[in-house]
Amino acid sequence: MRTMFKAALTATALMAAASIAQAKTTIRVTLQLPESHSLGQNWNAFKEIVEAKSGGELNVQLFPSAQLYKDKEVPEAVGTGAVEAGSAFLGRFTGAVPAVDVVSLPFFFRDEDHLRAAVTTGSPMRSVLDTAILQETNARVLWWQAFGRNIYLSDGSAIRAPSDLERKKVRTYGKVLGWTIEALGGAPTLMSGSKQFLAYQQGAVDVGMTGASAVKSRKLFEVMDHMTLSYDSAIEFVAVINNDFFEGLTPEHQAIVLEAAAEVEQQLRDAIYAEEDAIVDEMRNTITVVDLSDDERQKWVEATQSVVNRFVEDAGETAAQVVKAVSDM
C-alpha cells in the first residue's frame, strides 16, 4: 500500500512538473553582437522585465554573436518562425520594404530632436514602416534599436566641404548612402563593417562612412586621423518577433512584451547618444574631430537634396508616404 502511495505521489509530482514546464513559453532571440554590447544589454533588460512581469511564464533565451543566424538571415528566420525573435540592421529589410532606407537619407532629419520624434513608436513614419515590415515579412517590429549616427573618416586631411569628397573612393554600407556619395562627387564602395580597418590601412578606399562607436571599438583611429561629425543619417537596428508566435501569446503576455519593448527602446536611445557623445570627446584626444558649422552643414544639405527624389522614385509609394510624414513633423 505504502509503495502504491509513493508511486502515486511521484506520478503527481511528475505531472505537476510537466504542467509547469508546459506553462512556460520560450522566446529564443538571435543577436548579431555580444551581450556586452549596448544592443545585447538592451535585450537583457527586455528579458528581465518580461520574465519578472510574467512571473517566469515567459522565458527569454538570448543567442548572441550570430550563433544562430547572420544579420542578413534574420528577417527570413524570424518571419518564417525558424526563431521567435531577433535583431537586425534595419537595412536588411530593404529587400522587402525599400522605404526603410529613409533613415539613410542625408540631412533629412533636421537635428536629434527631429530624429527622435520620427523614430519613436507610433510616429507617422514608424506606423507606415512597421506595418509594411509586418505585411511583407510576417515579422512584427517590437522596437527600434538606436546604433548611432553616421560620420566620415579620412586620413591626412579633413572632410569639411562636399568638394573634399570629389573623386574619392568612399566606404559605404547601404544603397542610399552610396547615392549620397555620388551626389557629393565621390565613388561609393559597399563594404561590411568588419573589413574597414584593413581597407583604410591598405588605402583600398580614401574615406569611410561609419558610426562614432565603431571608431573606438574597431580601433579605426589607428588608420584614420580625421573624423567629421556630419551626423547626416541614422544607423538603426530593429528588434522583431514572429507575428504568428506573438499572436499565439495570451493578451496578458502580449501586453507584457509590448510594454517591455517600449521601456527598453527609450533606454537604449538615451544611452547610445550619450555614449556617442562620450566617444567623440574621447577621440578628440586621439584624432582630429571636425565639427561642421551651420554654414558648412548647409552646403552639404544643398549638395545632397537630389537623393530624396531619387529615393522616392526608386522605393515607390511607401517611400513617398514616409518622406511626407517626416517632412511634415
Side-chain angles (χ1 to χ4, degrees):
M1 186 75 174
R2 183 176 298 175
T3 301
M4 292 177 62
F5 181 67
K6 285 183 177 179
L9 282 177
T10 301
T12 301
L14 289 172
M15 290 175 63
S19 176
I20 291 172
Q22 290 175 357
K24 281 191 175 183
T25 299
T26 299
I27 305 174
R28 295 170 302 154
V29 182
T30 179
L31 306 177
Q32 302 310 299
L33 297 157
E35 288 187 53
S36 58
H37 188 277
S38 298
L39 267 63
Q41 293 175 20
N42 191 226
W43 270 104
N44 265 314
F46 173 84
K47 170 183 169 71
E48 291 176 7
I49 295 170
V50 166
E51 292 182 346
K53 288 189 174 181
S54 69
E57 292 179 358
L58 291 176
N59 176 41
V60 181
Q61 292 183 351
L62 304 182
F63 294 87
S65 303
Q67 291 179 36
L68 296 184
Y69 297 98
K70 295 179 180 179
D71 188 60
K72 64 181 180 181
E73 299 170 331
V74 173
E76 181 178 359
V78 174
T80 60
V83 67
E84 288 76 37
S87 282
F89 174 51
L90 181 59
R92 292 302 185 188
F93 289 86
T94 55
V97 185
V100 298
D101 238 357
V102 65
V103 297
S104 297
L105 289 176
F107 304 97
F108 186 58
F109 302 100
R110 294 186 295 272
D111 50 33
E112 183 181 321
D113 289 340
H114 188 210
L115 172 60
R116 281 177 175 269
V119 300
T120 192
T121 301
S123 72
M125 184 187 83
R126 278 283 304 273
S127 295
V128 172
L129 293 179
D130 289 1
T131 298
I133 290 173
L134 175 60
Q135 291 175 342
E136 296 298 327
T137 69
N138 196 43
R140 174 184 290 268
V141 175
L142 291 178
W143 75 96
W144 282 31
Q145 295 183 295
F147 196 79
R149 293 165 291 181
N150 186 67
I151 57 95
Y152 286 81
L153 291 175
S154 56
D155 190 48
S157 60
I159 302 298
R160 185 176 289 277
S163 58
D164 294 329
L165 286 169
E166 289 182 3
R167 295 182 295 279
K168 297 285 180 63
K169 291 181 294 184
V170 183
R171 178 262 170 169
T172 64
Y173 48 92
K175 181 169 69 172
V176 171
L177 296 172
W179 294 349
T180 297
I181 296 305
E182 289 174 353
L184 294 168
T189 300
L190 191 64
M191 181 185 299
S192 66
S194 62
K195 295 182 178 179
Q196 286 185 90
F197 190 96
L198 282 178
Y200 301 150
Q201 185 181 54
Q202 297 174 357
V205 292
D206 306 304
V207 177
M209 277 183 159
T210 191
S213 63
V215 179
K216 179 179 180 180
S217 65
R218 297 185 184 278
K219 298 185 178 181
L220 302 180
F221 56 85
E222 294 183 359
V223 288
M224 293 296 218
D225 59 14
H226 285 76
M227 177 168 67
T228 301
L229 305 183
S230 56
Y231 291 155
D232 50 320
S233 59
I235 307 171
E236 299 283 330
F237 277 61
V238 281
V240 291
I241 190 169
N242 176 269
N243 191 55
D244 297 329
F245 174 82
F246 178 82
E247 293 191 343
L249 298 175
T250 66
E252 292 77 15
H253 285 173
Q254 288 180 5
I256 288 171
V257 167
L258 294 178
E259 288 168 6
E263 184 173 340
V264 300
E265 178 169 19
Q266 188 59 50
Q267 289 175 355
L268 178 63
R269 194 163 297 278
D270 291 342
I272 284 293
Y273 289 163
E275 178 184 298
E276 191 173 61
D277 290 341
I279 289 173
V280 168
D281 286 342
E282 181 180 343
M283 288 299 101
R284 290 183 190 278
N285 299 318
T286 306
I287 61 178
T288 301
V289 176
V290 180
D291 298 283
L292 298 178
S293 67
D294 290 342
D295 288 341
E296 288 173 332
R297 185 179 178 85
Q298 185 57 35
K299 291 179 181 178
W300 287 70
V301 172
E302 293 170 357
T304 56
Q305 284 180 340
S306 63
V307 179
V308 175
N309 291 333
R310 186 174 179 180
F311 171 67
V312 171
E313 290 173 2
D314 181 79
E317 179 58 30
T318 303
Q321 290 179 35
V322 295
V323 165
K324 185 178 187 306
V326 176
S327 299
D328 289 347
M329 293 181 68

